[in-house]
Amino acid sequence: MTYAAQTARYVENDVLTRSPEWIVPLLYDHLLSSLRRAVVQIEAKDLDGRAESLGKASAIVGELLGSLDRENGGEIAEGLASLYTYFALELLNVGRSREIGALPSLIEMVEELHTAWVTAAQAVAPRPTQRPTQPALAASAA
């Protein structure tokens, strides 16, 4: 199995085993990775990589926007919709300009949102901060 196939399998398992409260923070994790990768690729003049990373970031923003419950979410959902729309427009601008442009400020905003979502998810469905030690490893260490 190739490294890419193993990574895809790991991500799929991660998504399928997370509680619903942790899906949005996972999306933000991947959004941040794509945005940071795009910055490096723009600096390296890697046009194909930049396009792929910005495309992934745009798809994640679209998923976040599409998943909002505007009927029940009230002002919070409307505010997030406006913010996600802004993100999408800025990603389009960066893609057209081939310059870093607003990416550093987008990364900063996404980091703040990510922290807020992690805090909310942790309050509702706490996750252990460390993975439990496997019994075989614990027994051999004793």
Side-chain angles (χ1 to χ4, degrees):
M1 185 180 291
T2 66
Y3 177 76
Q6 289 174 341
T7 301
R9 190 172 189 181
Y10 172 80
V11 170
E12 180 181 357
N13 286 335
D14 192 22
V15 169
L16 293 175
T17 59
R18 286 194 185 221
S19 65
E21 297 83 6
W22 286 95
I23 298 298
V24 172
L26 179 64
L27 286 170
Y28 276 100
D29 285 336
H30 289 278
L31 177 56
L32 284 167
S33 294
S34 293
L35 294 172
R36 290 178 181 135
R37 193 175 311 113
V39 169
V40 170
Q41 291 163 329
I42 290 169
E43 289 172 343
K45 308 260 189 269
D46 176 2
L47 299 180
D48 291 338
R50 171 195 61 91
E52 183 178 341
S53 294
L54 291 175
K56 285 180 181 180
S58 294
I60 294 167
V61 169
E63 183 67 30
L64 289 166
L65 183 59
S67 69
L68 291 173
D69 182 352
R70 293 185 187 203
E71 268 186 45
N72 297 313
E75 288 182 35
I76 293 173
E78 288 305 316
L80 286 171
S82 295
L83 197 55
Y84 296 156
T85 301
Y86 168 75
F87 290 172
L89 292 172
E90 287 302 319
L91 289 170
L92 284 172
N93 289 334
V94 169
R96 281 194 305 248
S97 72
R98 299 184 183 185
E99 294 180 12
I100 291 173
L103 285 180
S105 64
L106 286 180
I107 290 169
E108 192 175 312
M109 286 187 269
V110 172
E111 285 172 339
E112 288 181 31
L113 286 166
H114 177 260
T115 299
W117 279 103
V118 167
T119 301
Q122 191 68 24
V124 175
R127 290 187 68 168
T129 54
Q130 291 182 324
R131 294 193 182 266
T133 308
Q134 292 178 342
L137 295 175
S140 66

